[in-house]
Amino acid sequence: MNKLLKTKSVKFGVAAVVASSALSLSGCGETEAKGIAPELYTDSLFAVMKADRTNYTKYVVKRLGPNGANVIKPDEHWQDIENGTLLPAQMFRAGAEAVAEMTDQFTYSLQSKWPINSQNAPKTPVETEGLEYIAENPGENFYGEETLGDTKYFTAVYPDVAVSSACSSCHNDHKDSPKTDFKVGDVMGGVIIRVPLES
Amino acid sequence: MATISQEHLRKKNPGILLKTPMLIVVFLILFGCSNPEMELGEQVFKGTCKACHAGGLNGAPIYGNKRMWAKRLPQGIPVLVEHASSGYGLMPAKGGNTNLTEQEITAAVKFMVSKVAE
């Protein structure tokens, strides 16, 4: 499990923006150049992730899956099925993994206090605090800072909600799920986005 | 003209600093909280609807986001209530909270709409 190692090597994202604005500020007293606020940065990233996930659910899984044209089969073990396709959570994770291969500017993950896949459990105190906060305050986001290694990070946690009975029933019935009483509207976990504040 | 400093006010009318907050409280009681349906709506919203309608999950029109509500508002309150009650597209019936009454759903819809209809 090298998730932590991976996040530790993250550098330069927001740090670069902040550093460049510091340079121009201390430079020649020209017009003030501001770095993007970390909250706006992670909110924007999350908006894209959310839109993509909704569209995958709506235009692929619903439209072509068993409740639509029934030509594809979304399944946890999609690789073993000829017309199998990824569950939205797996699609999301595939995105996070592809991004991790491309850049070390930021990391994101889908986690839960009650994970089916134990790799999706919180790993740092701030992740745990954030997941607890969003579970207790439905609809609210959590923003925190944490230092891992010698890097300070901005960590945002966005709620992931059981938007249909498909979410709750699949998790409740899954043999590896530590929680079996999810219902529609419950916060099931959260999307964690972490960006470095300084290198 | 410069604004009147608090010091000046205190000298002129020592009671005004006390009275102003009282007046605000009275005003709030009379006007701010005088709509029980809005209060109920806010309560239902926070308890059930906010989980999706704060962040726009699955495309749920975000609370207070005029752009997202613009296409939906012209349907009128009764249709919006009917959609919220029976489910609509990716919106689950009653937001998954099947205990909610018609009155509570109506209040919650009106509460959400009031934040974009101004």
Side-chain angles (χ1 to χ4, degrees):
Chain A
M1 200 180 56
N2 56 5
K3 258 254 154 78
L4 265 180
L5 278 178
K6 248 188 219 160
T7 44
K8 267 189 202 164
S9 69
V10 174
K11 272 186 197 120
F12 299 128
V14 170
V17 180
V18 172
S20 63
S21 64
L23 273 181
S24 58
L25 271 180
S26 61
C28 327
E30 325 156 325
T31 47
E32 184 182 333
K34 281 198 212 126
I36 185 172
E39 193 172 316
L40 178 60
Y41 184 54
T42 55
D43 281 3
S44 307
L45 291 169
F46 183 61
V48 177
M49 295 170 193
K50 192 165 54 183
D52 285 349
R53 185 161 167 203
T54 300
N55 287 344
Y56 177 65
T57 306
K58 204 153 114 181
Y59 300 131
V60 179
V61 172
K62 272 222 155 182
R63 195 174 130 74
L64 302 178
N67 297 324
N70 200 13
V71 289
I72 58 168
K73 198 168 176 339
D75 192 282
E76 180 180 355
H77 306 289
W78 57 275
Q79 278 145 316
D80 305 337
I81 303 169
E82 204 187 12
N83 60 344
T85 191
L86 291 76
L87 299 172
Q90 291 175 306
M91 189 70 165
F92 191 84
R93 223 179 97 177
E97 282 162 9
V99 166
E101 280 174 19
M102 260 185 260
T103 177
D104 54 5
Q105 309 256 313
F106 77 101
T107 57
Y108 68 98
S109 53
L110 182 61
Q111 299 190 6
S112 174
K113 291 199 294 170
W114 314 278
I116 288 181
N117 181 337
S118 58
Q119 273 192 299
N120 301 331
K123 290 171 198 74
T124 70
V126 168
E127 287 177 352
T128 306
E129 188 190 344
L131 288 172
E132 270 161 15
Y133 180 86
I134 57 162
E136 279 154 27
N137 302 277
E140 308 258 338
N141 306 329
F142 172 91
Y143 303 98
E145 285 178 14
E146 59 189 330
T147 303
L148 304 173
D150 47 14
T151 305
K152 196 168 167 194
Y153 293 93
F154 181 81
T155 302
V157 186
Y158 301 90
D160 195 40
V161 173
V163 285
S164 75
S165 55
C167 311
S168 40
S169 58
C170 181
H171 277 247
N172 290 343
D173 296 347
H174 199 286
K175 63 175 174 38
D176 297 328
S177 177
K179 187 169 153 78
T180 53
D181 59 351
F182 283 119
K183 34 183 195 14
V184 173
D186 281 356
V187 175
M188 295 176 69
V191 174
I192 299 192
I193 305 181
R194 181 183 286 124
V195 294
L197 285 168
E198 55 196 37
S199 49
Chain B
M1 210 185 78
T3 48
I4 305 165
S5 77
Q6 298 224 323
E7 191 54 35
H8 178 74
L9 279 176
R10 203 173 293 139
K11 277 189 197 131
K12 252 196 133 172
N13 183 351
I16 200 167
L17 284 180
L18 257 180
K19 279 180 200 150
T20 311
M22 299 254 304
L23 273 177
I24 292 173
V25 169
V26 169
F27 184 83
L28 280 178
I29 291 170
L30 277 178
F31 301 100
C33 315
S34 67
N35 190 337
E37 192 178 28
M38 280 297 133
E39 271 178 60
L40 175 66
E42 182 166 7
Q43 215 178 309
V44 176
F45 173 76
K46 284 188 174 150
T48 302
C49 325
K50 193 177 167 191
C52 295
H53 283 270
L57 295 179
N58 256 356
I62 293 175
Y63 169 74
N65 184 317
K66 289 190 181 173
R67 189 182 284 256
M68 291 184 90
W69 279 97
K71 299 185 295 260
R72 303 179 185 266
L73 290 180
Q75 302 179 96
I77 297 282
V79 174
L80 291 173
V81 170
E82 152 60 21
H83 287 171
S85 304
S86 319
Y88 175 75
L90 295 180
M91 156 90 199
K94 297 185 175 185
N97 187 351
T98 44
N99 296 327
L100 291 177
T101 63
E102 171 97 26
Q103 190 202 1
E104 286 168 321
I105 298 284
T106 307
V109 169
K110 284 189 182 166
F111 173 74
M112 283 202 264
V113 166
S114 74
K115 299 298 160 190
V116 285
E118 286 137 19

